[in-house]
Amino acid sequence: MKQSLENFKDSYLFYSFKRDKIAMISFAILLVLVVVSFSAPLIAPYNPYDAETIDILNSELPPAWMDGGSTQFLMGTDQQGRDLLSTMIYGMRLSVLIGLGAVVLQAFIGISVGLIAGYIGGWLDNFLMRLADIQLSFATMMVAILISAIFQTVFGSSRYNELAVPLLVVVIGIAEWPQYARTVRASVLGEKGKEYVEAARVVGLSSTRIMFRHILPNTMSSVLVISTVQVANAIMSEAALSFLGLGMPVNRPSLGSLINAGFEYIFSGAWWITLFPGIFLVLLVLVINLLGDWLRDVLNPKLYKG
Amino acid sequence: MFAFTVKRILQALFVMLIISLLGFSIKHEFGDPIRDMVGIQVSVKDREILRETMGLNDPFITQYARFLKNAAHGDLGTSFFYKKPAMHVILSKAPATIELVFASSLIVILISIPVGIFAAIKPRHWFSRIAMGGSIVGVSIPVFLTAILMIYLFSITLGWFPSYGRGETVDLWGWHTGLLTADGLRHLIMPAIALSSIMLPLFIRLIRSEMMEVLETEYIRFAYAKGLKKKRIWFIHAFKNTLLPVITVGGVQLGIMLAYTILTETVFQWAGMGFMFLESVQRSDTTLLVAYIIFVGGVFVIVNTMVDIIYGLVNPTIRVSGRK
């Protein structure tokens, strides 16, 4: 453990991280956001899921520093009288959770498909990659919207709202796996001809073992790079779906559904219900994107364009 | 080339078949055409009779074949809410979406090409740095947030532009266009900018990186060595070869834009296909929903097939090796 920590300290990755101010600041902000959102029950001043602490008379209060604002609610309240800051912290936890879950799922599907397609090749490769191409040509956002619309029809909206978190993970996971599949396949094709793979084959190891234990670790740098960007994408997709009313319901809001709820009140001048969750969402996605950019420059795997 | 084209078209047909199968199974499982037609006043027995005469008790395959046959004739069923053929509803909403996409593409093309080229030739210039920094911020702002903030700023606070709807439209041989009236154009500006805000950063980055790659190639260096004017090298020699990948990606991005119209149209209550689609989900108008899926699927497949074929014409190597 100590040795690997030493190794990490001397690594090129850490060295370039220390020299890149943007990466360091992004990482710090991301760390704060994630820690705050996951310790929501401890940090948030109120519990937005607890109906007893909510008073409808407090609804649509402006932020504390404006006229009519209350020091009780730093960033004001939303249309149901919930403290906006607490609701946002809880909402961000949901957004991050769904984003990570969706990325794990799509990575699982995409890596398996990419490995199999790249390693086995032949008609299977052709078929799987055509499938990925076709799905990509439909735009992930479109696929996500269509699948969630279908799910909503299939499950009915009340049941959909109950199961929103796992369903969103599935929807976004299914919509975005081709990115992984293509990247992993490209790296597998590069690794396949190398000597260590041949050696493993000569020793008589099974294909599964070669694929997952020998080739997979060597594709990890490109997987890492797209994973960061994909987390940002997944959070964006979740927000978009929630905004359309195809995601998290209003009583368990994510950042997207908060923006959606706030949009109805923007015409009456209650801009904070939309703006603050919006800022948090943009900040979250932006720092992940910046980190992804930095990581790509450092590891520089040959990625697919587009 | 002929074999390549045939292969692509066959593949397109196959994809359409899959989409229609998917659409039909949703309709089959979750749509209730009897409810759509008669409401809840009719007795169970009458419903059963109607069900039998309409062939709703036939096996799945028979019904699917009938659905396909009708779809091939442009009949995708009748919308429960509009009481009109779903295809008519979609086609009546299409002009609004097409105009929106057209206006935003125009914005994207007019801004991204000059900015992208500039950022490629002068990567260290302050403007390029701002453009590149701005583009990563731009990618991180969801399109609906841009739209909402624009409404708050320009409609509610400043009152410059209307916040929803298409405004006055003119009937041009059955095509209701908002492009010909001042009011329609005023309504178009904000949705078009909001929609283009998601594509603009992507295109600026794409054009810049392609152009920089081209500028590194041998023939550009040779052109410098020959003593050609810099402007000629940049805009004629390099830019031409930048365009090719940009066009292919552009074709695919057109589809992505169609997806984002759903978001933009929802915010601005723009009476296009995306807004209609979301309403059909909320009203559980299954027929219209499925019709939209099939229609949009068709648009995607046609666009992609055309891009592939055009690309195959321009760049012969991919005919053999398949798309990159």
Side-chain angles (χ1 to χ4, degrees), chain B residues 25 69 87 104 111 182 217 224 253 270 283 287 301 306 316 322:
Chain B
S25 9
K69 203 175 125 202
M87 206 61 196
S104 331
I111 296 181
T217 52
Y224 277 121
Q253 301 289 332
W270 188 261
R283 293 171 182 144
T287 310
V301 167
M306 268 166 34

Side-chain angles (χ1 to χ4, degrees), chain B residues 175-224:
Chain B
W175 175 293
H176 292 274
T177 176
L179 295 176
L180 294 176
T181 61
D183 190 44
L185 285 176
R186 259 162 50 85
H187 279 83
L188 182 64
I189 290 175
M190 285 211 302
I193 293 178
L195 183 57
S196 63
S197 73
I198 199 77
M199 288 288 130
L200 204 52
L202 290 177
F203 268 84
I204 291 177
R205 296 188 134 222
L206 177 74
I207 291 174
R208 173 178 172 272
S209 70
E210 290 293 341
M211 182 93 174
M212 281 177 110
E213 225 167 82
V214 172
L215 287 176
E216 291 292 307
T217 52
E218 294 277 314
Y219 78 90
I220 294 291
R221 248 181 261 169
F222 183 66
Y224 277 121

Side-chain angles (χ1 to χ4, degrees), chain A residues 130 134 137-139 141-142 145 150 154 182 236 240 243-244 263 266 271 274-275 281 286 289 293 305, chain B residues 11 15 19 26 30 136 139-140 142 144 148-149 152 156 205 210 256 259 267 277 292 296 300 304 324:
Chain A
R130 238 323 92 76
I134 289 169
S137 72
F138 275 81
M141 182 63 94
M142 199 69 179
I145 291 174
I150 292 171
V154 172
R182 290 175 92 176
M236 287 277 259
F243 178 74
L244 290 175
F263 178 46
I266 204 168
W271 48 267
T274 307
L275 187 67
L281 179 66
L286 180 64
N289 271 337
D293 253 26
K305 281 178 216 150
Chain B
Q11 190 197 322
V15 174
I19 294 173
I26 299 166
F30 305 101
I136 192 158
V139 169
S140 310
F144 54 89
I148 293 175
L149 294 180
Y152 186 74
I156 299 176
R205 296 188 134 222
E210 290 293 341
I256 297 179
V267 177
F277 167 70
Y292 178 82
V296 165
F300 273 76
N304 279 306
K324 68 163 183 177

Side-chain angles (χ1 to χ4, degrees), chain A residues 119-255:
Chain A
Y119 188 73
I120 296 180
W123 67 268
L124 194 65
D125 178 30
N126 255 328
F127 173 75
L128 289 173
M129 282 306 116
R130 238 323 92 76
L131 206 69
D133 270 353
I134 289 169
Q135 202 192 314
L136 267 186
S137 72
F138 275 81
T140 47
M141 182 63 94
M142 199 69 179
V143 176
I145 291 174
L146 292 184
I147 298 178
S148 52
I150 292 171
F151 274 12
Q152 188 139 28
T153 317
V154 172
F155 288 92
S157 54
S158 61
R159 185 121 179 79
Y160 185 89
N161 283 348
E162 259 170 57
L163 292 171
V165 175
L167 283 181
L168 279 171
V169 168
V170 171
V171 166
I172 300 169
I174 294 176
E176 295 190 346
W177 68 268
Q179 306 277 8
Y180 274 95
R182 290 175 92 176
T183 315
V184 170
R185 174 179 172 272
S187 327
V188 170
L189 288 184
E191 296 294 320
K192 205 167 92 175
K194 290 193 178 160
E195 275 172 0
Y196 73 90
V197 177
E198 212 153 295
R201 215 177 293 152
V202 170
V203 175
L205 296 179
S206 70
S207 305
T208 341
R209 198 181 160 83
I210 298 175
M211 270 193 281
F212 287 92
R213 293 297 295 275
H214 295 247
I215 297 179
L216 185 61
N218 287 306
T219 62
M220 272 304 145
S221 65
S222 49
V223 168
L224 200 65
V225 171
I226 59 167
S227 292
T228 28
V229 181
Q230 288 300 93
V231 172
N233 281 347
I235 291 175
M236 287 277 259
S237 300
E238 188 277 330
L241 290 176
S242 292
F243 178 74
L244 290 175
L246 297 169
M248 296 306 296
V250 195
N251 58 345
R252 267 190 306 160
S254 67
L255 291 176

Side-chain angles (χ1 to χ4, degrees), chain A residues 32-54:
Chain A
V32 169
L33 288 178
V34 170
V35 167
V36 164
S37 63
F38 275 92
S39 47
L42 301 174
I43 290 182
Y46 298 90
N47 179 3
Y49 296 157
D50 185 0
E52 280 179 20
T53 64
I54 302 171

Side-chain angles (χ1 to χ4, degrees), chain B residues 260-302:
Chain B
Y260 283 98
T261 55
I262 299 180
L263 288 161
T264 329
E265 287 179 5
T266 309
V267 177
F268 290 101
Q269 312 253 313
W270 188 261
M273 296 191 297
F275 190 45
M276 175 212 79
F277 167 70
L278 207 66
E279 281 181 328
S280 76
V281 175
Q282 282 153 4
R283 293 171 182 144
S284 27
D285 191 342
T286 321
T287 310
L288 194 55
L289 191 149
V290 168
Y292 178 82
I293 293 179
I294 292 176
F295 184 80
V296 165
V299 172
F300 273 76
V301 167
I302 290 170

